[in-house]
Amino acid sequence: MEAFLVSTGIVALAEIGDKTQLLAFLLAARFRKPLPIILGIFIATVVNHAGAGALGAWITAQVSPTVMRWVLGVGFLAMAVWTLIPDKIDEEEEGGKGLKLGVLGTTIVAFFLAEMGDKTQIATVALAAQYQAFVAVVAGTTLGMMIANVPAVLLGERIAGRIPVRLVHGIAAAIFAVIGLATLAGAGQSLGF
């Protein structure tokens, strides 16, 4: 349960103001069909984060517990710094210009590509390695994505001006830093790290 709750919270906070949330705003404004956009976000996230979680589980099996503790600790500290850097949406991720995939297909492709190498995907790899709970981590990170992006789809740009994005990023960065420091200090020893 801890892996699920931590994964949900970290991703929900890290996603506020992220390029995928901006993409959700753009898709909602462009297509004005929230249900296929929400379904597309869900499908893309499950596929993307399942792959990331599997990678995290594989890494755990390949690396010694001491090395894993240092890699995860430093990785979470790097995530804390990365979370403080604001995202800008790239032109090629603006909702699939020229694609004839419909609303659902465009959303799936755009979100899957936007998540490749994104901080929430990297966090999913690290969380899966940390907790060794593939299903709980993938379910949690997916729920976190939905918590952050569904309101963006439903409320559009009106919500963007009301959320103090810097504060939310600061909180997410602090959580990543605490987890990183705790991991380096050996808090994961009971998990075998």
Side-chain angles (χ1 to χ4, degrees):
M1 191 62 159
E2 179 185 354
F4 174 76
L5 294 174
V6 169
S7 298
T8 300
I10 283 179
V11 170
L13 286 171
E15 194 61 21
I16 302 293
D18 189 71
K19 67 184 170 195
T20 47
Q21 190 179 50
L22 297 174
L23 180 59
F25 282 129
L26 287 171
L27 290 169
R30 180 173 180 191
F31 294 115
R32 298 177 189 236
K33 293 183 179 180
L35 292 180
I37 294 170
I38 292 167
L39 181 59
I41 292 169
F42 177 76
I43 292 168
T45 301
V46 168
V47 172
N48 193 292
H49 288 200
L55 177 62
W58 178 80
I59 289 170
T60 301
Q62 304 302 314
V63 178
S64 76
T66 303
V67 170
M68 180 58 73
R69 182 171 57 101
W70 281 98
V71 168
L72 288 172
V74 171
F76 280 118
L77 291 173
M79 290 300 302
V81 173
W82 191 7
T83 300
L84 294 173
I85 300 169
D87 280 325
K88 301 263 188 272
I89 193 160
D90 298 323
E91 278 187 35
E92 66 268 13
E93 294 169 347
E94 283 186 355
K97 283 184 179 177
L99 294 177
K100 304 293 184 204
L101 301 174
V103 178
L104 178 63
T106 298
T107 303
I108 292 170
V109 170
F111 259 81
F112 186 84
L113 293 176
E115 271 296 289
M116 295 302 291
D118 191 58
K119 63 184 152 241
T120 51
Q121 185 189 43
I122 305 299
T124 302
V125 172
L127 289 163
Q130 172 78 18
Y131 287 104
Q132 299 180 22
F134 172 81
V135 172
V137 168
V138 172
T141 58
T142 300
L143 179 59
M145 285 287 288
M146 300 311 289
I147 287 170
N149 288 303
V150 169
V153 172
L154 296 176
L155 301 175
E157 292 182 4
R158 289 186 298 184
I159 196 171
R162 295 183 182 165
I163 296 175
V165 175
R166 284 186 173 199
L167 173 64
V168 174
H169 279 213
I171 292 169
I175 292 169
F176 278 126
V178 167
I179 292 172
L181 291 172
T183 301
L184 288 173
Q189 296 284 337
S190 64
L191 297 173
F193 294 120

